[in-house]
Every structure is written in structure tokens, then in C-alpha cells.
């Protein structure tokens, strides 16, 4: 007997959603068999080709969908020569066909309960008809309460969303930030919600030996997540002077435009190295004397498990998620933050000089989400196993 798990992420911008699901896959593969008494297999459904390059636990695999990317207020095909509606239908049918064969006991959907433009709605109906459980996984910050409320309404309202779910897992520490209290999570969904702690401790490490991108110690590090919106901060960082006796490693992210990476490499001084990617970025974060970064969930989760001093410069365009996360964590002393408009090259040079003489313990933040999720999954699997599947036209 096997337990089958599917994890979905839409991945229109960056790889944060897929990386979160990958961390969950490793935790579930390692811990769930002892809790359920069954072997565990799984499928990660992603929407960016780079996601499938990352290894998974034994018995797990990627299903990489044709990609979508954001344009204006909507989504368009990233590469495929078709219109958005046709691509949505293709993605929806592909997911539904795969899960009809695998029949997952548990489906975890990251951030967008109905996927992009409703592509998951048929999938959720099929999952419910089969008797499988469905969880919505949320990062600890969504956006301003007003923006979040408008998004729930566009989906048909919180009550409508809740009818498709068995649980909501919030991957954060409610003592730092509680989206149930801010109003980002309406009551109908808050009733289903459990906060897990940040998905920090226990993230899958990359394989050694370390690649040649590793900087010699001591060094300061700039890391920009996917990199699609990190050019402005990178231009400041590459011109700043590393502290005496230190080098500077700048990881642009794989989605920064090649021309911008070339520009940064030309601007870099002799003590600064600019690379597009480094698979061991979490290890580099732990080993750095200080870190400059943006405020994406995965970057912050990897940072919080270290004692590396950090200056977080959040993205402020389109969403306020990164800014709200950075300010909440700064309020509990876990990091420092500033706005890009308030940061000059001289400011960054001065911050590095000061930061490399300090450390930043973060013992007060709950970082154990990856050990909390498997028992939550086991409890949900036991509950749904005792509940008969819905009889519907889809089941018939």
C-alpha cells in the first residue's frame, strides 16, 4: 500500500512556489511513512522549466507544464504559440489526466487555490469526487488586507474557496505575522487554517562537493532570488566596496536578463564576483559574513536558520508582500530592512563594514514548519480515509 501526494505550483514569476513545494516533498517523503505505516510517492506539478532541474526524493517526479507569465493584469503563454485560454485548458487537462491516473490521497496547492484563471477547478472537483484531501498552502504574508480581500472576491468569495478545501496551512510564525488577524485570510478560510512555522529547518541541502562558484572565506553575499526584478539592487551592490579582507559574491538569479548580468559583470571590481546561479545558495548564506537580499519567502526562510546578519531590501512594486514580511521580522530583531529608494552605495558599504563584525541569532522565530507539516498531513489522511468519496457526475 502506498500514499500518493501531489503538490501544485503555478510558477508564473520566479521559482519560489516550486521551491516551497520541493522542501515539503522532502519532509513528507522522510517523515510520513513512519506516521502512516505506508510508503510515500509523489508528483510535483510546476510551471517553470527550471523547476524540473532540482532533484527530488526517490519515488517522486516533476510534471512541468507549458509556462505562463504575467503581462499587465493577466497571464499569457511564456513560449507556446497559443492564446491564454487555450493554454489554460491544456494545463488543466494535463493536470487532471495525471491525477486521474495517480489518484493522490493528498493534493497541496501553493498560494492560488484555483490555479491560474481557474485551471484547477476541474481538478479540485475530481479530487473531491475520488475522496482525496486538498490543502491550500500559503506563505505567511499575502499582501495588504485590501488587496487580499479583492483577490478572494475575484475567486467567488472565501466561502466558495473554502468549499473546495479540507485545510489551509500557513507557512509562518503567528507571533511574527498572523494573516488571520490582519484580515488577509477571511474567517471562512481562517477556520480551516493552521500555522506551521516557517519552512526553515530541514530544507534539502545540495550535494557536495561545492561548485566553483563558491567564494573563498571571508565573503559578503548578495542574493536576488529569481532575479527578474533585482537589477536595481544589484547595481547598487556591485558598486559597493566589500569590507577589508572580504570578497563579494553576487548571485543575480537565473531569470535576470542576460544583458543585465553582462552589465553587472563589467561593473564589478576585482573583489566582486557576479554569477547567475549557485545551487548551494543556502550554504553560502550560512557561511557569509553578511547578506544583502530581497524579501522573498524562500530567501528569508533560508536566511532565518542562520545567524548571518542581513539587510533586506524588499520588492515594492506590484505587491507589498515582501515589504510587510521584512518589517515584521525587523520588528522582532531577526534582520534589518530598508527601502531601495533610501539606500545608496555608500550606505551599503558602511552597513557591510558594520555587519561583518556581528552575528544575528534568531532563536525566537519558529522555523520548524517542515517537521509540523507531516503530522498535519497524516491526521488529514486518516480523516479522509474514513470518509466516503462524493458520488458525482465526474465519479460516474
Amino acid at each position: 500500500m502506498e500514499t500518493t501526494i501531489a503538490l501544485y505550483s503555478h510558477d508564473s514569476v520566479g521559482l519560489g512556489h516550486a521551491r516551497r513545494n520541493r522542501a515539503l516533498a522532502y519532509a513528507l517523503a522522510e517523515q510520513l511513512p513512519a506516521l502512516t505505516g505506508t510508503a510515500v510517492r509523489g508528483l510535483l506539478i510546476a510551471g517553470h522549466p527550471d523547476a524540473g532541474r532540482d532533484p527530488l526524493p526517490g519515488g517522486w517526479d516533476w510534471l512541468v507544464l507549458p509556462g505562463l507569465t504575467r503581462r499587465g493584469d493577466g497571464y499569457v503563454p511564456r513560449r507556446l504559440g497559443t492564446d491564454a485560454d487555450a493554454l489554460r485548458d491544456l494545463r488543466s487537462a494535463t493536470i487532471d489526466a495525471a491525477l486521474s491516473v495517480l489518484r493522490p490521497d493528498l493534493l497541496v496547492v501553493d498560494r492560488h487555490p484555483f490555479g491560474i484563471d481557474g485551471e484547477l477547478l476541474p481538478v479540485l472537483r475530481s479530487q473531491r469526487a475520488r475522496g482525496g484531501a486538498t490543502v491550500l498552502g500559503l506563505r505567511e504574508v499575502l499582501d495588504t488586507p485590501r488587496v487580499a480581500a479583492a483577490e478572494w472576491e475575484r475567486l467567488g468569495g472565501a466561502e466558495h474557496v473554502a468549499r473546495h478545501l479540507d485545510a489551509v496551512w500557513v507557512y509562518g510564525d503567528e507571533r511574527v505575522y498572523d494573516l488571520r488577524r490582519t484580515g488577509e485570510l477571511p474567517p471562512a478560510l481562517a477556520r480551516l487554517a493552521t500555522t506551521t512555522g516557517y519552512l526553515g529547518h530541514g530544507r534539502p541541502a545540495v550535494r557536495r562537493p561545492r561548485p566553483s562558484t563558491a567564494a573563498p572565506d571571508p565573503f559578503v553575499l548578495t542574493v536576488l532570488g529569481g532575479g527578474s526584478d533585482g537589477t536595481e539592487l544589484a547595481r547598487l551592490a556591485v558598486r559597493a566596496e566589500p569590507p577589508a579582507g572580504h570578497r563579494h559574491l553576487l548571485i543575480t538569479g537565473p531569470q535576470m536578463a542576460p544583458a543585465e548580468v553582462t552589465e553587472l559583470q563589467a561593473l564589478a571590481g576585482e573583489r566582486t564576483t557576479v554569477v547567475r546561479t549557485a545551487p548551494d545558495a543556502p550554504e553560502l548564506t550560512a557561511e557569509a559574513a553578511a547578506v544583502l537580499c530581497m524579501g522573498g519567502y524562500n530567501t528569508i526562510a533560508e536566511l532565518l536558520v542562520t545567524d548571518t546578519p542581513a539587510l533586506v531590501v524588499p520588492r515594492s512594486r506590484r505587491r507589498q508582500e515582501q515589504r510587510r514580511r521584512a518589517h515584521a521580522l525587523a520588528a522582532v530583531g531577526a534582520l534589518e530592512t530598508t527601502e531601495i529608494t533610501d539606500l545608496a552605495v555608500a550606505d551599503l558599504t558602511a552597513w557591510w563594514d558594520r555587519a561583518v563584525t556581528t552575528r544575528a541569532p534568531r532563536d525566537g522565530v519558529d522555523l520548524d514548519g517542515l517537521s509540523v507539516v507531516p503530522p498535519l498531513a497524516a491526521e488529514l489522511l486518516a480523516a479522509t480515509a474514513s470518509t466516503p468519496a462524493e458520488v458525482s457526475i465526474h465519479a460516474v
Side-chain angles (χ1 to χ4, degrees), residues 71-161:
R71 182 175 297 168
D73 293 331
Y75 295 89
V76 297
R78 182 180 283 121
R79 293 176 180 166
L80 190 64
T82 186
D83 60 43
D85 288 345
L87 183 53
R88 176 204 59 210
D89 293 344
L90 172 59
R91 285 167 54 109
S92 180
T94 301
I95 299 167
D96 204 21
L99 298 193
S100 294
V101 173
L102 289 177
R103 304 180 66 84
D105 304 286
L106 174 63
L107 170 63
V108 180
V109 178
D110 190 88
R111 176 62 177 91
H112 294 276
F114 299 156
I116 298 299
D117 293 337
E119 66 185 1
L120 280 188
L121 275 167
V123 178
L124 297 179
R125 296 185 190 111
S126 297
Q127 176 74 354
R128 181 58 55 89
R130 287 190 296 265
T134 301
V135 172
L136 174 63
L138 295 176
R139 60 192 181 222
E140 88 292 22
V141 184
L142 299 182
D143 207 314
T144 64
R146 179 183 60 80
V147 170
E151 289 185 348
W152 295 121
E153 285 305 308
R154 283 197 294 272
L155 296 176
E159 294 279 359
H160 174 60
V161 175

Side-chain angles (χ1 to χ4, degrees), residues 79-371:
R79 293 176 180 166
L80 190 64
T82 186
D83 60 43
D85 288 345
L87 183 53
R88 176 204 59 210
D89 293 344
L90 172 59
R91 285 167 54 109
S92 180
T94 301
I95 299 167
D96 204 21
L99 298 193
S100 294
V101 173
L102 289 177
R103 304 180 66 84
D105 304 286
L106 174 63
L107 170 63
V108 180
V109 178
D110 190 88
R111 176 62 177 91
H112 294 276
F114 299 156
I116 298 299
D117 293 337
E119 66 185 1
L120 280 188
L121 275 167
V123 178
L124 297 179
R125 296 185 190 111
S126 297
Q127 176 74 354
R128 181 58 55 89
R130 287 190 296 265
T134 301
V135 172
L136 174 63
L138 295 176
R139 60 192 181 222
E140 88 292 22
V141 184
L142 299 182
D143 207 314
T144 64
R146 179 183 60 80
V147 170
E151 289 185 348
W152 295 121
E153 285 305 308
R154 283 197 294 272
L155 296 176
E159 294 279 359
H160 174 60
V161 175
R163 283 195 289 272
H164 293 81
L165 304 173
D166 296 284
V168 176
W169 296 340
V170 180
Y171 306 133
D173 183 344
E174 63 190 40
R175 299 167 301 175
V176 175
Y177 192 97
D178 191 342
L179 46 68
R180 296 168 298 187
R181 294 182 180 177
T182 64
E184 292 158 72
L185 197 64
L189 292 166
R191 288 192 289 270
L192 299 175
T194 302
T195 55
T196 67
Y198 286 91
L199 306 182
H201 291 307
R203 281 183 165 241
V206 301
R207 292 171 291 188
R208 302 285 179 159
R210 284 272 298 278
S212 59
T213 54
D217 290 336
F219 66 98
V220 294
L221 176 67
T222 298
V223 59
L224 303 171
S228 60
D229 54 0
T231 304
E232 187 177 3
L233 180 57
R235 286 174 177 149
L236 286 173
V238 80
R239 288 156 49 210
E241 189 71 19
H246 292 70
R247 293 188 60 81
H248 174 208
L249 176 61
L250 191 159
I251 306 172
T252 66
Q255 295 175 327
M256 184 174 287
E260 293 170 347
V261 176
T262 300
E263 173 197 340
L264 294 170
Q265 291 170 333
L267 289 172
E270 63 179 20
R271 289 194 292 146
T272 295
T273 300
V274 178
V275 298
R276 288 185 66 84
T277 62
D280 57 344
E283 288 83 357
L284 290 169
T285 297
E287 295 164 7
V291 170
L292 172 70
C293 64
M294 299 180 72
Y297 181 92
N298 291 286
T299 297
I300 296 302
E302 292 165 355
L303 170 70
L304 291 175
V305 299
T306 76
D307 64 355
T308 306
L311 178 62
V312 177
V313 183
R315 176 178 64 199
S316 58
R317 289 188 289 271
R318 197 169 68 82
R319 287 196 176 276
Q320 296 301 307
E321 167 224 341
Q322 290 195 10
R323 175 181 283 162
R324 293 170 75 86
R325 174 179 298 115
H327 282 274
L329 286 163
V332 298
L335 47 80
E336 298 179 59
T337 187
T338 188
E339 301 294 326
I340 187 72
T341 52
D342 297 330
L343 184 64
V345 172
D347 300 326
L348 181 53
T349 297
W351 182 82
W352 269 338
D353 285 339
R354 172 174 59 84
V356 297
T357 66
T358 67
R359 301 312 286 172
R362 300 177 173 107
D363 299 335
V365 180
D366 183 355
L367 305 173
D368 292 326
L370 290 173
S371 63

